[in-house]
Amino acid sequence: VRLPLAAVTRLAASPAVEFVASDEPVSATLDVARQAANGPLPAATESLLRGAGVTIAMLDSGVAPHADIQTMVASVDFVGTPGAIAVLDLPDDATRAESSSVDPNGHGTHVAGILVGSGGHSDEGRLAGIAPAATLVSVRVLDEAGGGRTSDVLAGLQWVLYHKDELGIRVLNLSLGHPVYEPAAQDPLVQEVEALWNAGIVVVCSAGNAGRDGDGTISSPCNSR
């Protein structure tokens, strides 16, 4: 809803309205985790688990076609496309989702590589993702500048909730967020990720990107319980 500031109080007082929250801007978050935490480099592969049989949904800026990303099964774009329709792989076209997906920013493709990249273009596959055998669902909610609106993220989260059983989604990644503006109990992003968590999806949100800035640096929706 768009309305003048002077009308917000009357809207909030309506018996049909539970509460009012502003449609805040969200932005992509990404840091070089091991270096930021002064963590040691792994001497060898950390796990033999490769994600087979698991589908990961990723809310981000999309995924550009890339030779190392071969397991995408669906893509949907909520940026400037109301009523977005997902593109799914078909039995006769196993690359339909990849070929239709775009990422004018690059952040989503980077995150997708961390999640499911095959590592095929690195020496001995050394730069493979965490779960290269997992399948990927790309939900685009960020624009070419890596920014978006809370309402687009909410639409993407609700889409994941509605389609989790159809696509076998068990994990959701959100490398994005906005500063905390309201209590978690009234934050629409927090409430929506908790609905997904309660529905059985493992929800992973970015935290620590602003850790050098001092206290209170965990953003929404990562401030969920």
Side-chain angles (χ1 to χ4, degrees):
V1 174
R2 293 181 179 272
L3 74 168
L5 182 61
V8 173
T9 300
R10 283 186 289 140
L11 178 68
S14 167
V17 174
E18 185 173 351
F19 67 92
V20 174
S22 56
D23 191 8
E24 296 293 340
V26 297
S27 59
T29 50
L30 187 68
D31 209 336
V32 186
R34 291 187 187 279
Q35 285 84 337
N38 293 319
L41 292 172
T45 302
E46 295 177 346
S47 172
L48 295 178
L49 298 174
R50 296 173 57 82
V54 174
T55 299
I56 304 170
M58 180 190 76
L59 267 66
D60 216 291
S61 61
V63 179
H66 193 286
D68 276 13
I69 301 172
Q70 298 288 332
T71 62
M72 189 187 305
V73 295
S75 62
V76 61
D77 188 343
F78 284 94
V79 179
T81 52
I85 299 174
V87 177
L88 308 177
D89 279 356
L90 300 174
D92 59 346
D93 187 357
T95 63
R96 189 166 178 259
E98 289 101 322
S99 60
S100 68
S101 179
V102 298
D103 178 13
N105 176 263
H107 182 272
T109 306
H110 187 152
V111 173
I114 294 171
L115 297 175
V116 301
S118 68
H121 279 57
S122 61
D123 293 340
E124 300 178 351
R126 186 172 60 88
L127 300 181
I130 295 169
T135 51
L136 179 68
V137 172
S138 171
V139 182
R140 184 173 179 236
V141 296
L142 301 178
D143 61 18
E144 64 276 3
R149 308 296 304 187
T150 295
S151 52
D152 292 329
V153 178
L154 289 172
L157 291 170
Q158 290 167 359
W159 187 90
V160 170
L161 183 62
Y162 297 151
H163 295 277
K164 69 180 182 67
D165 294 332
E166 172 191 355
L167 297 171
I169 297 169
R170 292 170 54 190
V171 179
L172 170 67
N173 189 82
L174 293 156
S175 294
L176 52 79
H178 65 55
V180 174
Y181 295 110
E182 55 221 325
Q186 293 182 328
D187 185 326
L189 281 184
V190 172
Q191 295 305 298
E192 198 64 37
V193 299
E194 291 189 357
L196 285 155
W197 178 271
N198 292 336
I201 295 178
V202 175
V203 182
V204 182
C205 303
S206 55
N209 289 277
R212 301 179 185 86
D213 298 338
D215 296 332
T217 58
I218 301 299
S219 60
S220 169
C222 206
N223 60 323
S224 162
R225 58 182 170 83

